[in-house]
């Protein structure tokens, strides 16, 4: 007897002991596996004559033996080798089951089970003895996997002539408040197939027994005989080929959750069919939340690609641009050739055409969501907005026009999200869109410059993600309005007179500033007075394109580790603050103290702006010196 791997054991325990009400989903899971296995062999048969099974002979069979409490699911798909039985059924390999485990550990919510595929193990919700006999295509031996549950399983050679798999379940006895007999009832099984597996493209057949009246000798006493016929239980039309009107939200959502392993309903569903240049059906889903691996390099984007109903690729990356990589779904094309190779597919003009129209559809759907269901869009944007912003920044801005109207930022007006269009519509004649960067909204509001800009009545976009400013820089402008970081030294809110007065003040203090700059050293380019601070004594602004936030982000990237980027900083001093007078006096009487004050003020500006001090010890010593004076 072999032991299950530890995660599998946990899941198995949960399945066996589940008080879950949707035990019925085990059938859907086993049928899906059977259908996948047939797909694999069918696909092979297109290019390999040795497969032998004809297209019309592929089928899934269900057999009920009420007396012995046996339910059997048989397929003539690809089958499994001895190793595959061990690997596939002894561990949880697939992300779906794995996801489930993770989520479940967090929430202890067993109700999750019914919402999506938990795979083969769900058989143990209804069965106390499971046998899988399988013969892989190309193998001359068959093997049998057996398990009674958590203790483990065994694999041994067995006799099976045809390629494929038979899963035999011994259905549990009824318990006090659990009825398992229903899974031995032909009507119930047939209803379950209709409910969950109707779209499976291979026939699911079952022998159906009905009673038919027979003519009796006297023509009065009714007599019946059992008539058995083999019925196909499913309609075999894939969900995406059905008309929209035939499908409910629930149909779409269930299909999504089961097929794409999500616990949540999708934010949006796009289902359409095109004819003409490219003939295809598409069923696209925009998720609400990113999958757990979305922001890792393990994540693979792509849509399932079907060709005339046959799955030819599970994740066709070429169908989705990176900035829409969160979209899940499938495309079923009439035009592609079935045995097209991956390499050829990349250069296929038809595929490119499809990708182009998909992109338009996705964009259109996002715009619709943005205008019709703002709350939902915000939820979506919190999950995937970063991806859109990277989309603007990447490829030297080649896609910025597609994406710019999908961006939203919180702003100083009411901390609600605003689009660039909304911002520019309410900004009036001004030609500048103001933004500020910081870790959080709160930190941005503490920036010295924020007050001054707000006081002028100007709205500020709050940029709290590293990529934000890079995306805006790549945009360059929006509807002719340029972007400006409020921490840029060019921020200019003064009237002409105010400017003149400030200029002459700066001119008069020129030598003092030179002395101060020398004291602080290379960390800054200049010192000067400013009018743009209200309460604060000092701030740091940047000259020439690279802001402090950008400096931080760029230098945190490994590639520039030994080639640090430097923002060109100016130490600006509030001309109306008492400190200005103090400095002027020190310049006259005590330049040594002035030099120390310059360093102190630089330190203050760093702290307020949220950057680290290069030399915190020196700063602290200077503060103490001042305190003990
Ligand atoms: P999932 O279907 O999500 O991958 P399962 O636990 O249901 O997870 O199945 C694990 C694996 O076992 C499948 O991925 C497949 O490779 C294999 N498998 C299960 N059932 C069959 C079958 N009827 N025929 C061939 N292979 C199967």
């Amino acid at each position: 007897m072999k032991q299950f791997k530890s995660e599998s054991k946990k899941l198995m325990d949960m399945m066996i002991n589940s008080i879950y009400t949707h035990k019925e989903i085990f059938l859907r899971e086993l049928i899906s596996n059977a259908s996948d296995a047939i797909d694999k062999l069918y696909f092979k048969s297109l290019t390999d004559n040795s497969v032998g099974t004809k297209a019309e002979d592929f089928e899934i069979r269900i057999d009920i033996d009420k007396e012995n409490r046996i339910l059997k699911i048989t397929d003539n798909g690809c089958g499994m080798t001895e190793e595959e039985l061990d690997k596939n059924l002894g561990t949880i390999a697939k992300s779906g089951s794995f996801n489930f485990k993770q989520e479940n550990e967090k929430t202890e919510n067993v109700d999750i089970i019914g919402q999506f595929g938990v795979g083969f193990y769900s058989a143990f919700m209804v069965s106390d003895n499971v046998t899988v006999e399988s013969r892989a295509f190309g193998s001359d031996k068959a093997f049998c996997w057996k398990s009674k549950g958590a203790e483990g399983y065994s694999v041994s050679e067995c006799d099976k002539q045809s390629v494929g798999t038979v899963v035999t379940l011994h259905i549990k006895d009824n318990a006090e408040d659990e009825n398992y007999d229903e899974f031995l009832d032909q009507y119930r099984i047939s209803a379950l197939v209709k409910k969950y597996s109707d779209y499976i493209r291979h026939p699911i057949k079952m022998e159906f027994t009905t009673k038919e009246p027979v003519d009796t000798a006297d023509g009065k006493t009714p007599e019946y005989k059992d008539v058995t016929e083999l019925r196909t239980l499913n309609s075999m039309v894939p969900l995406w080929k059905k008309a929209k009107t035939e499908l409910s939200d629930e149909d779409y959502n269930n299909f999504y959750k089961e097929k794409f392993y999500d616990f949540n309903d999708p934010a949006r569903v796009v289902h359409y069919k095109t004819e003409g240049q490219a003939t295809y059906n598409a069923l696209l889903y925009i998720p609400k939340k990113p999958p757990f691996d979305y922001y890792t390099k393990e994540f693979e984007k792509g849509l399932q690609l079907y060709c005339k109903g046959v799955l030819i690729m599970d994740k066709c990356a070429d169908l989705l641009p990176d900035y829409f990589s969160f979209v899940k779904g499938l495309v079923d094309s009439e035009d592609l050739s079935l045995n097209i190779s991956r390499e050829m597919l990349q250069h296929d003009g038809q595929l490119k055409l499809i990708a182009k129209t998909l992109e338009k559809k996705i964009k259109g759907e996002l715009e619709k969501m943005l205008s019709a269901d703002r709350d939902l869009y915000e939820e979506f944007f919190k999950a995937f907005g970063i991806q859109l912003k990277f989309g603007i920044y990447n490829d030297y801005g080649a896609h910025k026009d597609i994406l710019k109207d999908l961006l939203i930022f919180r702003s100083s007006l009411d901390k609600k999200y605003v689009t660039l269009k909304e911002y520019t519509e309410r900004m009036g004649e001004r030609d500048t869109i103001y933004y500020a960067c910081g870790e959080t909204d709160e930190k941005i509001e503490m920036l010295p410059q924020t007050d001054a800009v707000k006081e002028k009545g100007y709205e500020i976009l709050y940029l709290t993600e590293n990529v934000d400013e890079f995306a805006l820089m790549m945009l360059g402008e929006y509807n002719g309005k340029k972007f400006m970081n409020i921490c840029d030294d060019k921020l200019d809110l003064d009237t002409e007179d105010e400017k003149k007065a400030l200029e002459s003040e700066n001119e008069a203090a020129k030598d003092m500033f030179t002395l101060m700059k020398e004291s602080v050293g290379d960390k800054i380019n200049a010192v000067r007075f400013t009018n743009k601070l209200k309460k604060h004594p000092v701030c740091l602004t940047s000259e020439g394109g690279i802001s402090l936030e950008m400096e931080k982000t760029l230098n945190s990237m490994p590639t520039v580790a030994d080639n640090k980027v430097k923002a060109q900083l100016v130490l600006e001093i509030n001309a109306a603050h008492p400190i200005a007078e103090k400095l002027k006096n020190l310049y006259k009487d005590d330049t040594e103290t002035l030099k120390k004050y310059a360093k102190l003020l630089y330190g203050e500006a760093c702290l307020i702006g949220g950057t680290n001090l290069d030399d915190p010890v020196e700063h602290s010593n200077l503060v103490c010196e001042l305190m003990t004076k």
Side-chain angles (χ1 to χ4, degrees), residues 520 524 526-528 538-540 569-573 598 601-602 605:
V520 179
I524 54 172
V527 183
R528 63 174 164 251
V538 276
C539 70
L540 282 171
L569 298 179
V570 179
L571 180 64
E572 297 202 287
I573 296 164
L601 286 171
Y602 169 73

Side-chain angles (χ1 to χ4, degrees), residues 29-30 32-38 40 75 77-80 84 88-89 91-97 117-121 132 134 164-167 261:
E29 298 299 316
L30 297 181
S32 295
N33 284 348
S35 170
D36 290 347
I38 294 179
K40 280 180 205 158
D75 69 69
C78 62
M80 282 177 274
E84 282 166 343
N88 294 340
L89 307 185
T91 14
I92 295 165
K94 258 312 263 283
S95 52
S97 315
V118 285
F120 173 75
Y121 290 89
V132 182
S134 196
T165 304
V166 187
V167 179
Y261 303 116

Side-chain angles (χ1 to χ4, degrees), residues 74-86:
T74 306
D75 69 69
N76 51 359
C78 62
M80 282 177 274
T81 61
E82 184 178 14
E83 293 75 45
E84 282 166 343
L85 278 170
D86 190 41

